[in-house]
Amino acid sequence: VVGPDEEKIWPNIVNKLGDCAKRCKYVGFTVNMEKYMAASDFICLPSIREGFGMVIIEAAATGIPAIGYDIYGVSNAIDNGVSGLLVEKKNIKKLTETISLLADSSDQRKKLGNAALARVREKFDQKIVIQGYIDFIKKILP
């Protein structure tokens, strides 16, 4: 688990994992996300509040698909069923099922990951994003 534990739930997760907890690690905040993404088959961002799922875009840029709750921000970063998978907010059962589905299917991970990479190149290329900012600023300034 990578990222800050804002809700202080890691001890509860460890307790629920039982013997499996020995195989899990909480990293916390890091500025070296790329090393964790390089070791990942997919990422899961079960955030219930997210301005924009930048970590999803960063993962997609490395060809890694994502799972997230269907909320504003995350749903802008994931094209559901194409570049990743969205789950109804706070539906833990469906989130668990979706994680298992992706964990068990390398073909699905590869298909979603390839589409995620293509989507990032098409919609989130640096030049496109910078031009979008410039256009927005020109529009709002008198």
Side-chain angles (χ1 to χ4, degrees):
V1 176
V2 180
D5 182 5
E6 296 170 352
E7 303 294 324
K8 308 290 186 241
I9 63 171
W10 183 246
N12 191 32
I13 291 171
V14 169
N15 185 44
K16 291 189 181 288
L17 286 172
D19 289 341
C20 292
K22 296 174 193 160
R23 298 186 324 214
C24 297
K25 181 175 181 174
Y26 171 64
V27 175
F29 175 81
T30 182
V31 294
N32 299 315
M33 279 301 294
E34 63 279 359
K35 88 176 189 182
Y36 296 100
M37 285 188 194
S40 300
D41 292 322
F42 61 93
I43 67 163
C44 180
L45 181 65
S47 177
I48 59 170
R49 54 177 171 68
E50 197 73 26
F52 181 72
M54 185 57 76
V55 70
I56 293 167
I57 300 303
E58 291 167 345
T62 64
I64 297 171
I67 298 170
Y69 282 140
D70 191 2
I71 61 168
Y72 182 81
V74 174
S75 63
N76 298 106
I78 296 174
D79 185 1
N80 191 31
V82 178
S83 66
L85 301 170
L86 294 170
V87 176
E88 178 187 7
K89 182 172 86 171
K90 294 187 178 181
N91 188 335
I92 304 296
K93 184 177 188 290
K94 186 66 175 172
L95 181 65
T96 303
E97 291 170 358
T98 304
I99 290 169
S100 293
L101 172 81
L102 219 50
D104 292 340
S105 177
S106 62
D107 289 342
Q108 181 76 343
R109 289 192 310 268
K110 183 175 281 198
K111 177 183 164 198
L112 293 171
N114 288 340
L117 178 58
R119 185 170 187 266
V120 159
R121 287 180 173 158
E122 177 188 338
K123 297 188 178 285
F124 298 99
D125 179 80
Q126 184 179 22
K127 290 177 184 173
I128 294 169
V129 173
I130 290 171
Q131 188 60 53
Y133 279 127
I134 291 169
D135 294 346
F136 175 75
I137 291 168
K138 284 180 178 179
K139 183 179 174 182
I140 63 169
L141 290 179

